[in-house]
Amino acid sequence: MRRENQSSVSEFLLLGLPIQPEHQGVFFALFLGMYLITVLGNLLILLLIRLDFRLHTLMYFFLSHLAFSDVSFSSVTVPKMLVNMQTQDQSIPYAGCIAQMYFFLLFVCLDNFLLAVMAYDRYVAICQPLHYTTIMRERLCVLLVAGSWFFSCVHALLHTLLLSRLSFCADNNIPHFFCEPAALLKLACSDISLNELVIFTEGGVFAFLALSAILGSYIHIGATILRVPSIKRIRKALSTCGSHLFVVFLYYGTVAMIYFFPSANNSKVKDTIASLMHTVVTPMLNPFIYSLRNRDMKLALGILYKKGIIFAK
């Protein structure tokens, strides 16, 4: 493309959700309520894990990081979407858009790694229970979480730096409610072949490793249970892995809808709904999944509630 057909973009316009103006108020209240539930629910999980000594175990150590990641992940996109819906101002500065994309990639990747680490933890607990304390030492668990944070930061920084070197055309309309990386690449005037190569190699390797760890862990868990099948063992496995497995289906199901099953006829509605499921609904459901299906969490919540009544009196 010739240089005169390119322009320096100082801001982007987020076209947002395909909602009629008369329905903006209803959807604003709906998404605001969902965001508040996400924040309060995940912060409640962090509070329970911090206050109840019975939850000071490795499983809840991983869960606390997942809860923090979910709060952060939702906070990257939803507040800006709500502000745009309320003010009808669709603009976002170039620097703000790049920063939003960085943190979006960071917490997407972090969720990916944390789910893999939690799957491995469940595998050791069920398949090698006698060696659990020997294998899952505190130092190893800290290293696993620290490694998840480190590689997620590297992943996000790499893709952000590669995108920031691109020049953008006069068209700065992003057909999304946040600065989605794929949508930004479509607006670039310069060559994006390197970006696409890194996405398919580095991004693909990270996703493949995490998904392989999850699938491998649950295949071994299933094989261990079926070796000597019994109702008691199946119930114990479901109580131990059910919540995590449901979150994995939610997470990878929405990711697959967005990136692996593109919309027919370039329709944006399906992609928008899948993105909303991924960024708004899934982080909101996680606290309910882990608290309602978890006896220890419900017990800790009951104790905290009773203490609150006592202190109130």
Side-chain angles (χ1 to χ4, degrees):
M1 182 172 289
R2 292 178 300 174
R3 177 64 59 182
E4 58 267 28
N5 288 338
Q6 298 183 12
S7 64
S8 176
V9 174
S10 60
E11 66 177 16
F12 293 98
L13 296 179
L14 298 172
L15 300 186
L17 304 174
I19 300 174
Q20 297 297 325
E22 59 270 21
H23 300 148
Q24 289 277 356
V26 175
F27 280 96
F28 174 83
L30 174 64
F31 291 131
L32 177 61
M34 295 172 71
Y35 176 66
L36 292 176
I37 292 173
T38 300
V39 173
L40 295 176
N42 283 287
L43 289 181
L44 180 60
I45 286 180
L46 290 171
L47 180 64
L48 292 176
I49 294 174
R50 178 68 180 85
L51 295 180
D52 196 325
F53 70 93
R54 284 169 305 204
L55 301 181
H56 293 175
T57 62
L58 296 179
M59 182 177 74
Y60 295 106
F61 170 69
F62 297 137
L63 178 58
S64 65
H65 282 270
L66 183 65
F68 177 79
S69 178
D70 282 339
V71 171
S72 304
F73 178 49
S74 187
S75 298
V76 168
T77 58
V78 178
K80 177 60 178 174
M81 179 185 71
L82 293 174
V83 170
N84 289 358
M85 291 177 67
Q86 188 67 15
T87 63
Q88 300 300 312
D89 180 14
Q90 298 175 320
S91 65
I92 181 172
Y94 175 85
C97 189
I98 296 298
Q100 187 185 58
M101 190 196 77
Y102 169 81
F103 287 107
F104 172 80
L105 291 172
L106 168 63
F107 291 112
V108 165
C109 189
L110 182 61
D111 272 4
N112 197 36
F113 282 130
L114 288 176
L115 290 174
V117 170
M118 293 173 74
Y120 177 71
D121 175 67
R122 296 299 84 205
Y123 154 73
V124 177
I126 293 175
C127 299
Q128 304 184 47
L130 300 179
H131 302 285
Y132 182 80
T133 54
T134 305
I135 298 174
M136 299 300 292
R137 299 183 304 275
E138 182 178 354
R139 182 180 177 184
L140 174 63
C141 296
V142 171
L143 285 175
L144 288 173
V145 171
S148 299
W149 276 96
F150 174 76
F151 286 111
S152 298
C153 290
V154 170
H155 168 79
L157 184 61
L158 174 62
H159 290 280
T160 302
L161 290 176
L162 286 175
L163 188 134
S164 63
R165 72 182 179 84
L166 302 177
S167 57
F168 292 89
C169 301
D171 182 12
N172 63 344
N173 295 325
I174 301 177
H176 225 299
F177 60 91
F178 71 100
C179 293
E180 203 266 338
L184 282 172
L185 284 179
K186 292 178 181 178
L187 298 180
C189 294
S190 47
D191 183 20
I192 62 171
S193 58
L194 178 59
N195 300 71
E196 293 176 334
L197 177 64
V198 174
I199 288 172
F200 285 112
T201 54
E202 181 269 350
V205 167
F206 276 6
F208 175 77
L209 289 176
L211 188 58
S212 297
I214 294 172
L215 292 177
S217 297
Y218 279 108
I219 288 173
H220 280 88
I221 289 172
T224 301
I225 295 172
L226 294 176
R227 221 172 270 145
V228 187
S230 69
I231 300 297
K232 184 178 179 180
R233 293 190 69 178
I234 293 174
R235 285 179 178 174
K236 184 178 179 180
L238 287 176
S239 65
T240 305
C241 304
S243 300
H244 177 262
L245 198 55
F246 191 57
V247 171
V248 167
F249 279 126
L250 274 177
Y251 177 83
Y252 284 102
T254 53
V255 169
M257 288 176 63
I258 298 170
Y259 297 108
F260 297 102
F261 300 104
S263 301
N265 301 322
N266 294 322
S267 173
K268 299 297 180 183
V269 177
K270 174 174 166 286
D271 293 339
T272 302
I273 293 174
S275 296
L276 282 172
M277 286 288 296
H278 188 55
T279 59
V280 182
V281 179
T282 300
M284 181 192 70
L285 291 179
N286 286 356
F288 294 99
I289 295 169
Y290 280 107
S291 59
L292 294 179
R293 291 182 56 85
N294 191 295
R295 183 182 59 186
D296 294 333
M297 292 293 291
K298 288 189 285 188
L299 182 60
L301 184 60
I303 293 173
L304 183 65
Y305 176 73
K306 291 178 181 177
K307 286 183 177 179
I309 295 177
I310 292 173
F311 289 140
K313 292 180 179 178

